Amino acid sequence: IKEATHSVAKIDVFETNITNIDNDLVLKEIIDSKQVRIDNDPNDTHYEDLVYPDAPSCKLLCNEIERVVQEYFGKDLQMTGIWTHLTAPNGSTNFHNHHGSDISFVYYPRVLDNQGNLHFKVFANADTFEKTLEPTTGTLFVFPSSLPHYTGKNLSGEDRYSISGNFKRETKDDH
């Protein structure tokens, strides 16, 4: 072999738009729900997370996300959780990953100017690699759960809503 190039790490984030959902109705169902926090401790990272509504348009969106993820990443993936993420004005989402899952997602039912973008960041030795993605209304991002990410500050002046969740691969022992 005279020359060879070996890829050490390739991490992809899948992006698509879900166009057959009434995002205004999804947001209405979210806002009209009781908006129950997953954790009421403002120091907990799940404080910004709300229980995802059990409402018709929200169910339809959940089914559509599941269909897209399974179509692109494999039918052996099962959704293990879905929630609404509420970021108040001037808030942001801390740097984190979704340890314990295989595939994670975030969906944007409404995008406002200056609401803060999605940032993925990885470290390799002394190098840092960061990719910033700017969502539009209806954008679905799907990525490996171990990929660290955060969102920029919400400078829109309004609450930012996104919908996140996780998938895990079924193993033969799961049957």
Side-chain angles (χ1 to χ4, degrees):
I1 298 176
K2 291 182 180 183
E3 295 176 350
T5 300
H6 302 277
S7 179
V8 174
K10 181 179 182 239
I11 304 170
D12 292 326
V13 175
F14 174 72
E15 177 181 349
T16 191
N17 277 62
I18 297 179
T19 58
N20 60 338
I21 296 295
D22 184 337
N23 287 303
D24 292 333
L25 195 50
V26 168
L27 271 174
K28 181 178 180 345
E29 289 175 353
I30 288 170
I31 292 167
D32 289 349
S33 72
K34 294 180 183 173
Q35 296 195 21
V36 177
R37 292 188 185 280
I38 291 176
D39 193 306
N40 287 320
D41 178 359
N43 296 314
D44 189 278
T45 58
H46 295 291
Y47 181 72
E48 300 158 332
D49 298 335
L50 308 173
V51 173
Y52 189 69
D54 184 22
S57 292
C58 288
K59 284 181 184 178
L60 181 62
L61 174 60
C62 182
N63 291 340
E64 189 64 13
I65 290 169
E66 194 165 30
R67 182 193 66 74
V68 169
V69 169
Q70 288 178 345
E71 183 178 296
Y72 189 80
F73 290 93
K75 299 285 184 196
D76 61 334
L77 285 164
Q78 298 301 312
M79 188 180 291
T80 57
I82 186 169
W83 60 91
T84 302
H85 189 82
L86 168 62
T87 309
N90 297 315
S92 60
T93 305
N94 289 333
F95 187 66
H96 68 285
N97 67 22
H98 295 224
H99 179 75
S101 296
D102 295 314
I103 298 292
S104 296
F105 68 87
V106 60
Y107 177 79
Y108 293 87
R110 176 182 66 183
V111 174
L112 305 167
D113 289 340
N114 300 312
Q115 75 167 18
N117 291 325
L118 178 60
H119 301 260
F120 292 96
K121 186 183 273 193
V122 294
F123 305 92
N125 296 327
D127 295 323
T128 302
F129 302 94
E130 186 166 353
K131 179 72 176 177
T132 301
L133 300 176
E134 186 174 341
T136 59
T137 296
T139 298
L140 173 69
F141 292 113
V142 185
F143 51 93
S145 299
S146 60
L147 183 58
H149 55 283
Y150 67 97
T151 61
K153 188 177 273 197
N154 176 10
L155 299 175
S156 71
E158 296 183 41
D159 288 340
R160 173 179 68 210
Y161 289 94
S162 59
I163 297 157
S164 299
N166 296 316
F167 285 80
K168 196 144 179 68
R169 289 204 183 281
E170 256 186 17
T171 61
K172 292 181 182 178
D173 296 339
D174 291 342
H175 294 291

